[in-house]
Amino acid sequence: MSVLLWVVLPYVALTVFVLGHVWRYRYDKFGWTTRSSQMYESRLLRVGSPLFHFGILVVALGHVGGLVIPKSWTEAVGVSEELYHLSAVVLGTVAGVATVAGLAILIYRRRTVGPVFTATTRNDKLMYAVLGLTIALGLAATVAANLVGGGYDYRTTISPWFRSIFTFQPEPALMAGAPVLFQLHGLSALVLFAIWPFTRLVHMLTAPVGYLTRPYIVYRSRDEGRPAAKRGWEPSR
């Protein structure tokens, strides 16, 4: 069971994550979008969206720092375990609360605003459910282990297991010994990564770089007496 959960499942999820994005980009370019609903309602969106996105960004950066960077590296630059633990708990809790609050507002908006709810697909509902579960379990694990319990140093178990997956030397025993809430958080994250390419979450991997170099939009007059407009890629004056 440990091998199935902490070796087989991670590689399956990562394979689907990578190949799913390749497939989506090749066969569904026009569907590679957030499917924005701002035109239907903007009041709640102005509050919920910044809360969620800023919170999830801090959470993501915290996960990268905690899982990718070895404990010995932070100690080598003078960051003690106590300082790291304190900053991780404080920032993680604040970011987690902001993320949960923002997501709650977005889900409330999507459920109560008629046009937004009509535009919500089954795919969206599944994504919101898995995303919400992953965030809730992560926050619960942080609170239970560090604020209620005596503390848990995940950088001695979960972090080495995470890095072992990418070095192709998996160590499932490390994750099998972690607290249950951390295990459930990890499993829900793997499910989230598996469905990621097929949801609106793909917009996270894109940026409007082409907007900086695209041609000007040309507006032509209906008045035939006016001179013809210049080509779109020539500088405007």
Side-chain angles (χ1 to χ4, degrees):
M1 183 59 68
S2 295
V3 172
L4 178 64
L5 293 179
W6 309 121
V7 179
V8 177
L9 184 58
Y11 283 121
V12 170
L14 289 174
T15 301
V16 174
F17 181 84
V18 174
L19 297 183
H21 280 93
V22 174
W23 173 86
R24 180 84 180 266
Y25 186 77
R26 290 192 61 183
Y27 296 103
D28 189 28
K29 281 187 179 181
F30 290 105
W32 192 294
T33 172
T34 60
R35 297 175 59 247
S36 174
S37 58
Q38 184 177 2
M39 63 182 296
Y40 301 132
E41 195 280 338
S42 60
R43 182 177 61 86
L44 291 172
L45 189 65
R46 281 197 299 267
V47 178
S49 184
L51 262 179
F52 172 77
H53 283 90
F54 286 125
I56 202 68
L57 178 61
V58 175
V59 169
L61 292 176
H63 278 67
V64 171
L67 296 177
V68 178
I69 301 177
K71 182 178 181 179
S72 58
W73 291 18
T74 56
E75 292 178 345
V77 297
V79 179
S80 64
E81 176 60 25
E82 292 75 15
L83 177 60
Y84 178 89
H85 179 76
L86 177 62
S87 59
V89 170
V90 173
L91 290 177
T93 302
V94 172
V97 170
T99 304
V100 170
L103 184 62
I105 294 173
L106 294 177
I107 294 177
Y108 172 80
R109 169 182 176 270
R110 189 162 291 276
R111 184 63 185 85
T112 58
V113 178
V116 180
F117 181 71
T118 303
T120 303
T121 65
R122 293 180 179 177
N123 186 296
D124 293 331
K125 295 176 182 177
L126 175 63
M127 182 272 295
Y128 275 112
V130 178
L131 179 62
L133 178 63
T134 303
I135 294 172
L137 286 172
L139 187 58
T142 300
V143 172
N146 298 301
L147 299 181
V148 178
Y152 176 70
D153 188 5
Y154 64 89
R155 293 198 296 167
T156 61
T157 54
I158 299 175
S159 298
W161 165 80
F162 180 82
R163 292 192 295 270
S164 73
I165 295 296
F166 293 93
T167 58
F168 299 102
Q169 296 177 335
E171 300 181 45
L174 293 175
M175 193 63 183
V180 175
L181 280 176
F182 283 93
Q183 292 182 353
L184 293 176
H185 177 56
L187 290 175
S188 63
L190 292 175
V191 174
L192 180 64
F193 280 116
I195 68 171
W196 191 300
F198 315 105
T199 67
R200 65 174 62 204
L201 293 176
V202 293
H203 78 277
M204 182 180 174
L205 303 179
T206 58
V209 178
Y211 179 82
L212 302 175
T213 57
R214 74 178 187 180
Y216 296 105
I217 299 176
V218 179
Y219 293 92
R220 302 186 183 278
S221 172
R222 295 188 180 208
D223 186 356
E224 296 182 359
R226 293 178 178 270
K230 293 182 179 182
R231 290 175 297 184
W233 54 85
E234 292 181 354
S236 63
R237 291 177 174 79

